[in-house]
Amino acid sequence: MQHEITDARPLLDKNGNLREAGYCKKLLPVYRRGDIKAGAMRIKEWDYYLINNGRFAVALTIDDNGYMGLDSISLLHFEEGWEKTKSPMRAFPMGKTGLPESSAEGDVSISGKGYHLSFRHEEAERVLDFHMEDFLDGTPIDGRIRLTDEPEESMVICTPFEKPGHFYYNQKINCLRAGGTVTAGGRTYVFDPADAFAVLDWGRGVWTYHNTWYWGSASGQVDGVPFGWNIGYGFGDTSAASENMLFYGGKAHKLSQVTFHIPTKDGREDYLAPWRFSSDDGRFEMDFTPVLDRAACTDFKLLKSDQHQVFGRFTGTATLDNGRVIRVEDFPGFAEKVENKW
């Protein structure tokens, strides 16, 4: 039995611990950076957007990890099998990035040598603007994308760690419709809200030093109805709730536990071989055909990030709370495994 949080109240108690562990379908717990008892070096805050139409995608990140800030732009072309990522880093932002305390309001912008990103709210829309010099084959990347039709419900998780004062507060908003253009390498990429969808990964917290997580996400439509999911596990004490949810027509449907079956070859993960996903309640059964592995590994011994974000297509079934079975075939999305020491 998973615990659902139903009241809006402060996220943390006077000692900086979660008042209530569990999940909810809206951003009910109130996050206040000033309630955190850990030092500024340990606080992690980020906004990450992925916009995908199944043929190409853009990923944008503004990240403040206390001792290190990271601003990232990725352009991925699935039909041609390539991706380009550039991620300038900033030393010791310590919260100066100014990421908002709510996903529902507040804007953030960041700039550095030859680049800028901004995420803004304009009435019922989210507007993403970005530019970076010398991004692809010596040419810049420029883009403006508008996100609309925000669903009524989303995935929100409050996860404690065994260490006092450590927590993970996260919201995933799937199935945002996306429209706009991106230019890079002398080409223009057009996102049409008819078939382009975005997910927001909004995270705040204080983590323990060494973690490995698994995350999968997909957003699209089935028979014209927005449909998608968030699946994942791997760190923190998830005994109160998992972060596994389906989204259909703006409503969230809670899943139990989902397992990522990543194939191996010669004792190592073979990320570009077919994957499989299964759930303990039988409500999420998917095959996954990888197309592109956005892999990156930074290893400074004490600091390490080994990432495999694998994009591809899902085929299988997902069952809503009312028992209705949704079948998908070649449904675009991604799944990832990430190990961090930070």
Side-chain angles (χ1 to χ4, degrees), residues 297-317:
C297 185
T298 302
D299 191 352
F300 299 117
K301 303 307 178 186
L302 288 177
L303 298 178
K304 177 183 177 180
S305 182
D306 188 3
Q307 308 178 30
H308 288 270
Q309 186 180 28
V310 182
F311 292 83
R313 294 185 174 271
F314 292 85
T315 296
T317 60

Side-chain angles (χ1 to χ4, degrees), residues 209-275:
Y209 168 65
H210 186 192
N211 293 284
T212 297
W213 75 73
Y214 300 80
W215 178 34
S217 179
S219 293
Q221 56 191 348
V222 173
D223 297 329
V225 179
F227 176 65
W229 58 78
N230 183 83
I231 53 176
Y233 58 95
F235 65 96
D237 178 2
T238 57
S239 58
S242 75
E243 64 176 80
N244 303 311
M245 276 191 187
L246 305 173
F247 310 99
Y248 184 78
K251 294 291 187 177
H253 300 254
K254 191 70 182 70
L255 299 175
S256 181
Q257 305 298 326
V258 174
T259 301
F260 291 41
H261 303 278
I262 304 174
T264 59
K265 183 178 181 180
D266 300 326
R268 299 172 62 107
E269 285 96 346
D270 186 4
Y271 290 102
L272 289 176
W275 301 25

